[in-house]
Amino acid sequence: MQNLKLPITISPSRSAQRRLVCKGVFKLADMTRLLAECESRSEHVQVSVKFDVDERGLTVMSGTGSALVALTCQRCNETFDQSLEVEFTFSPAKNEEAAEKIPSYYDVVELDENGEVNLRELVEEELMLMIPLIPRHNIQDCSADADSVWGELPEELEKPNPFDVLKQFK
């Protein structure tokens, strides 16, 4: 299969009128915000986007994206490969007023001054949301002990009751 480069920006309304389906790739090296959080393990991000008009007449763009990246395990501090896969469904809006009229089952994406959406940034943001909050190996693959403890907890200190001062006023 040939890896076709996708356009960085695209007009959702014109694409929806033509019922356009785009399948191709973005260079992972161009997604600098994503690479600030992880390391690249593949050269491309595979993307598929379908543009359509729903029964309410709203423009809808739905699709998938996937990439292979390396994350640092927070348990053992070693890197491991993680496949990031996303599914998204957006409806574009020109401004906040138009965004309020879009049903909640669609995510809203804002159009730029030319009526277009930056497709690469959109996919990059969705992939960033798929990075785990605390990246870790599976417990059986991790070199650190699952029940490891760093340091010792102090014995519970005897804390004075702050309301003892009130007893003096009786």
Side-chain angles (χ1 to χ4, degrees):
M1 181 176 119
Q2 187 178 7
N3 288 332
L4 300 174
K5 284 181 77 173
L6 292 171
I8 294 173
T9 60
I10 195 164
S11 171
S13 58
R14 281 184 283 177
S15 300
Q17 290 170 355
R18 297 186 348 225
R19 307 273 196 261
L20 187 65
V21 175
C22 297
K23 291 184 182 183
V25 295
F26 287 120
K27 282 188 174 181
L28 190 55
D30 293 337
M31 296 185 173
T32 55
R33 292 182 306 142
L34 178 63
L35 291 178
E37 302 297 322
C38 57
E39 295 176 30
S40 172
R41 285 289 195 246
S42 60
E43 187 177 340
H44 296 104
V45 176
Q46 298 290 329
V47 179
S48 173
V49 184
K50 177 183 170 192
F51 297 88
D52 207 351
V53 178
D54 72 358
E55 63 278 351
R56 296 180 70 184
L58 294 172
T59 300
V60 178
M61 36 188 299
S62 58
T64 60
S66 63
L68 185 63
V69 297
L71 300 174
T72 302
C73 177
Q74 298 301 301
R75 215 182 281 132
C76 68
N77 215 22
E78 294 177 10
T79 60
F80 66 98
D81 289 349
Q82 174 78 36
S83 177
L84 300 178
E85 298 180 5
V86 295
E87 289 186 23
F88 53 86
T89 304
F90 288 97
S91 185
K94 293 180 183 177
N95 52 36
E96 285 185 33
E97 186 179 307
E100 290 175 6
K101 296 177 182 176
I102 294 176
S104 62
Y105 46 86
Y106 293 135
D107 289 327
V108 178
V109 63
E110 208 170 306
L111 296 170
D112 66 9
E113 62 275 356
N114 300 321
E116 294 183 335
V117 169
N118 189 320
L119 192 56
R120 184 176 66 198
E121 282 183 8
L122 184 76
V123 172
E124 181 180 21
E125 288 172 3
E126 291 297 307
L127 288 171
M128 288 176 66
L129 290 172
M130 296 310 296
I131 296 175
L133 186 60
I134 302 173
R136 295 179 289 202
H137 287 104
N138 289 330
I139 194 75
Q140 63 270 19
D141 298 332
C142 195
S143 62
D145 292 333
D147 59 348
S148 49
V149 177
W150 294 276
E152 291 185 28
L153 296 175
E155 294 293 324
E156 191 166 327
L157 302 173
E158 187 64 38
K159 295 181 185 177
N161 186 345
F163 296 104
D164 285 343
V165 176
L166 296 175
K167 290 181 182 176
Q168 298 172 359
F169 295 116
K170 279 189 174 183

